[in-house]
Amino acid sequence: MRKTKRSTGAVAAVAVLAAVAGTGNAGAVSAATHSELGLLAGGTTNRAFSINQQGLAVGDSGTAANSGHAVLWNAQGKPTDLGVLPGDSTSTAFSVSANGEFISGRSIGATERAVRWNKDRTATPLPGRSDAVRTRAYSINNSTTAVGFSVSPDGNWHALRWGADAKMTELPGLPGAVSTGATWINNQGVAVGGSVTADGVQSGVRWAPDGTVTALPSLPGHGDVAATAINDSGVAVGASSETAGSPSQAVKWTSDGKVKALDNLPGDIGNNALAINGSGYAVGYSVMPDGKHRPVRWKPDGTVTALDTATPGVGDAYGVSDSGKAVGVVTPSGKPARAWLWN
């Protein structure tokens, strides 16, 4: 895992604060109000990764049995336990579709398997590669199409897409790629992620609905890129850096593939955009000099604002809805990590 940048396979989920977009200078703390999302009975920690315009959020929560279960929070922040696949003990939900009918994630027992929760909240296992040591489904759209990855025994990632029938298709990488991962899919069936060569150079990529792959440009002088999310207008976000080990710079790609850097918080050493909503507001994290993260949001023009973390505390914003609500994880000093909602 990179110090200031998620690898292609790290959690991607969607979303601020269109409703709280506001004015404010770079580095100011957002006036958005916040609340903690509910825990399952007996749990002490939870995480939220995605939220839709209905206010439905997903993630996971600890339980009385000291295992984490995938959860769905309603608009009032009350959690529902989504459970695990038969024989498993742990699960996580990474994405909820815009219409609220489908949820994607993983279930873990002897192995890690991709899973789709359906409209009736029953769980359907999604197949991975035959040689997979673990498989995850990161994102799902209104058509029940999901994307994610399998990891093969050699440690390489393989981008996958599943249809409504749960049939799996492997998405291609760029020429020379040995590892790929898909992180998000929009309602037009366009997906984004990363493609990595044998020498470790990563390119951000976009897959058309037919599976055709296209490279996304990096910033000038940068050679390592990853895309994390894409909205229904085809605008994507992610990060670009000089090399795999150097600080990352949050970026936005227009629908025609042009790249633009998103603003940094003053004094911080890196950032990453993890989600974008339909209005072009993005969220993610900024990296302080001590390496800790703080959650941020970007307006459509790229200006940045820090989100409140009940100081002192650190965290990440992972998802933003078209209605302007954002979710993420905040860890106050000396306390367990908690799922937060910013209104």
Side-chain angles (χ1 to χ4, degrees), residues 43-73:
T44 60
T45 185
N46 55 4
R47 303 180 296 174
F49 296 122
S50 177
I51 184 170
N52 69 8
Q53 64 261 36
Q54 301 170 30
L56 301 177
V58 296
D60 56 26
S61 173
T63 68
N66 292 319
S67 64
H69 278 198
V71 295
L72 169 69
W73 287 277

Side-chain angles (χ1 to χ4, degrees), residues 120-182:
D120 62 0
R121 304 313 178 210
T122 58
T124 298
L126 299 175
R129 282 171 49 108
S130 60
D131 64 347
V133 296
R134 58 189 174 112
T135 302
R136 295 180 186 178
Y138 268 145
S139 174
I140 193 165
N141 66 16
N142 287 343
S143 300
T144 332
T145 304
V147 294
F149 66 88
S150 278
V151 179
S152 51
D154 58 8
N156 285 324
W157 304 73
H158 303 272
L160 305 178
R161 181 173 62 196
W162 297 270
D165 59 359
K167 183 179 179 180
M168 182 269 287
T169 301
E170 188 164 342
L171 295 171
L174 297 172
V178 297
S179 192
T180 57

Side-chain angles (χ1 to χ4, degrees), residues 6 11-16 37 46-61 70-75 77-79 82 92-105 117 121 137-142 147 183-187 228-230 274-277 283-284 316-329 338-342:
R6 296 190 312 166
V11 173
V14 272
V16 164
L37 295 173
N46 55 4
R47 303 180 296 174
F49 296 122
S50 177
I51 184 170
N52 69 8
Q53 64 261 36
Q54 301 170 30
L56 301 177
V58 296
D60 56 26
S61 173
V71 295
L72 169 69
W73 287 277
N74 65 14
K78 181 180 179 180
L82 294 173
T92 300
F94 294 125
S95 170
V96 56
S97 62
N99 61 15
E101 295 185 358
F102 309 107
I103 297 166
S104 59
W117 285 274
R121 304 313 178 210
Y138 268 145
S139 174
I140 193 165
N141 66 16
N142 287 343
V147 294
T183 51
W184 201 257
I185 186 168
N186 67 17
N187 285 316
T228 51
I230 185 169
L274 305 181
I276 184 169
N277 72 9
V283 297
D316 304 84
Y318 286 114
V320 63
S321 72
D322 287 344
S323 62
K325 295 183 177 182
V327 292
V329 181
R338 290 296 307 273
W340 271 38
L341 168 70
W342 290 275

Side-chain angles (χ1 to χ4, degrees), residues 82-327:
L82 294 173
V84 299
L85 291 174
D88 290 353
S89 60
T90 303
S91 60
T92 300
F94 294 125
S95 170
V96 56
S97 62
N99 61 15
E101 295 185 358
F102 309 107
I103 297 166
S104 59
R106 65 176 180 180
S107 183
I108 304 174
T111 61
E112 181 176 336
R113 297 182 283 172
V115 61
R116 180 184 74 212
W117 285 274
N118 305 299
K119 186 176 181 179
D120 62 0
R121 304 313 178 210
T122 58
T124 298
L126 299 175
R129 282 171 49 108
S130 60
D131 64 347
V133 296
R134 58 189 174 112
T135 302
R136 295 180 186 178
Y138 268 145
S139 174
I140 193 165
N141 66 16
N142 287 343
S143 300
T144 332
T145 304
V147 294
F149 66 88
S150 278
V151 179
S152 51
D154 58 8
N156 285 324
W157 304 73
H158 303 272
L160 305 178
R161 181 173 62 196
W162 297 270
D165 59 359
K167 183 179 179 180
M168 182 269 287
T169 301
E170 188 164 342
L171 295 171
L174 297 172
V178 297
S179 192
T180 57
T183 51
W184 201 257
I185 186 168
N186 67 17
N187 285 316
Q188 281 65 52
V190 180
V192 294
S195 177
V196 186
T197 62
D199 56 0
V201 176
Q202 181 172 219
S203 298
V205 294
R206 186 194 313 252
W207 287 278
D210 66 359
T212 302
V213 63
T214 304
L216 293 169
S218 65
L219 294 173
H222 285 199
D224 194 77
V225 188
T228 51
I230 185 169
N231 67 17
D232 285 350
S233 298
V235 180
V237 293
S240 176
S241 58
E242 292 182 4
T243 64
S246 61
S248 61
Q249 170 64 57
V251 295
K252 179 189 290 187
W253 291 276
T254 60
S255 58
D256 60 358
K258 296 179 181 177
V259 64
K260 174 186 177 181
L262 299 175
D263 283 353
N264 296 292
L265 288 176
D268 282 1
I269 60 172
N271 56 12
N272 197 347
L274 305 181
I276 184 169
N277 72 9
S279 299
Y281 289 86
V283 297
Y285 62 81
S286 183
V287 184
M288 296 178 282
D290 62 2
K292 295 179 180 178
H293 291 189
R294 48 179 169 166
V296 294
R297 58 110 170 146
W298 290 271
K299 294 167 64 174
D301 65 3
T303 55
V304 66
T305 303
L307 294 171
D308 180 23
T309 59
T311 306
V314 297
D316 304 84
Y318 286 114
V320 63
S321 72
D322 287 344
S323 62
K325 295 183 177 182
V327 292

